[in-house]
Amino acid sequence: MAKIDSRKLAAVLASVRPTQRPTLPTDANPESGLTPGQRTGLDYSRDRYADGSYMVDPPHSQYNPGGEAAVTSFYGAIDRLPAPLKDAGQYINYPLFVDGKVMTDRKAALQRAFDYEEKTGKKFARYPTPQAAEWGEMQVVHPIMDADSENVLATPEAQRRLRSLK
C-alpha cells in the first residue's frame, strides 16, 4: 500500500471544506462574513436596485423557475479564469445581468465584469474550485441577496412592473 502524504491529503480536504460559515437568518450582521469579492457582487446587485435596472420575473419564467415572483439583479455565472491573467485557474463568480437584461454571451459578460473591476477597483469573488464557488455563493451570499430581493419586490415600483407583465 502506498504511503499517504499528509500535506497533500490536507490540501485536498481543504479544497472541498468550506472556509466560511453559511449565512443564517439569525445572524445579527449577516454581511460581516463576506469576502471582499462577495461584497463586490452584493454591491453590484444593490446598485441595480438603486438605479432601477433590475428585472421583475413572474413565477415559472425563463429566469425564475420558482413558484413566486422574483427580482433579477445579478444572475451569476461561474467560470475558470483564463491565462495569462494573474489569477488564472481560479473560478470567478460574475454577473450575466448587464444593462437591465441577462446576457447570453458569457464571454462578453465576463469582459464586462473585467471592465467593471477595472473601473471600480473592486474584484468579483474568486474561488479555488467550482464547488467552492457554488457553496460560497449559495450558502453565504444568496441568503443576503434573497432578503434584498424580497424587500425590492415589496416596493410599489416592483409590484407595478409585475402587474404590467400579466
Side-chain angles (χ1 to χ4, degrees):
M1 187 165 157
K3 183 178 177 185
I4 296 175
D5 182 335
S6 61
R7 289 175 294 188
K8 286 184 181 176
L9 179 60
V12 168
L13 291 176
S15 72
V16 295
R17 184 177 45 232
T19 57
Q20 291 178 286
R21 63 182 274 294
T23 300
L24 304 171
T26 55
D27 288 346
N29 183 2
E31 297 178 28
S32 65
L34 296 177
T35 67
Q38 290 169 332
R39 162 64 57 198
T40 297
L42 185 60
D43 289 347
Y44 180 92
S45 174
R46 288 177 172 167
D47 288 347
R48 302 300 65 82
Y49 293 144
D51 69 17
S53 66
Y54 61 89
M55 208 166 52
V56 176
D57 305 305
H60 310 293
S61 60
Q62 181 178 4
Y63 301 113
N64 176 23
E68 297 181 19
V71 176
T72 299
S73 61
F74 190 88
Y75 206 79
I78 297 169
D79 282 315
R80 189 174 200 157
L81 291 168
L85 296 175
K86 183 181 106 187
D87 44 7
Q90 290 188 343
Y91 292 83
I92 182 175
N93 180 66
Y94 63 97
L96 293 177
F97 190 78
V98 179
D99 296 332
K101 63 186 182 305
V102 176
M103 295 181 72
T104 56
D105 182 347
R106 286 172 74 123
K107 189 174 181 178
L110 182 57
Q111 184 57 56
R112 292 290 296 260
F114 291 148
D115 294 345
Y116 179 87
E117 289 180 340
E118 187 175 318
K119 177 182 165 193
T120 65
K122 301 185 294 184
K123 289 186 175 278
F124 289 106
R126 267 65 165 175
Y127 298 92
T129 66
Q131 296 83 2
E134 189 71 30
W135 193 94
E137 294 302 316
M138 297 309 291
Q139 300 300 316
V140 179
V141 183
H142 267 257
I144 299 166
M145 283 186 167
D146 290 347
D148 285 354
S149 175
E150 287 186 29
N151 289 336
V152 169
L153 193 55
T155 66
E157 173 59 19
Q159 289 298 306
R160 183 195 64 73
R161 290 184 192 189
L162 185 60
R163 283 190 304 276
S164 73
L165 296 173
K166 295 178 182 180

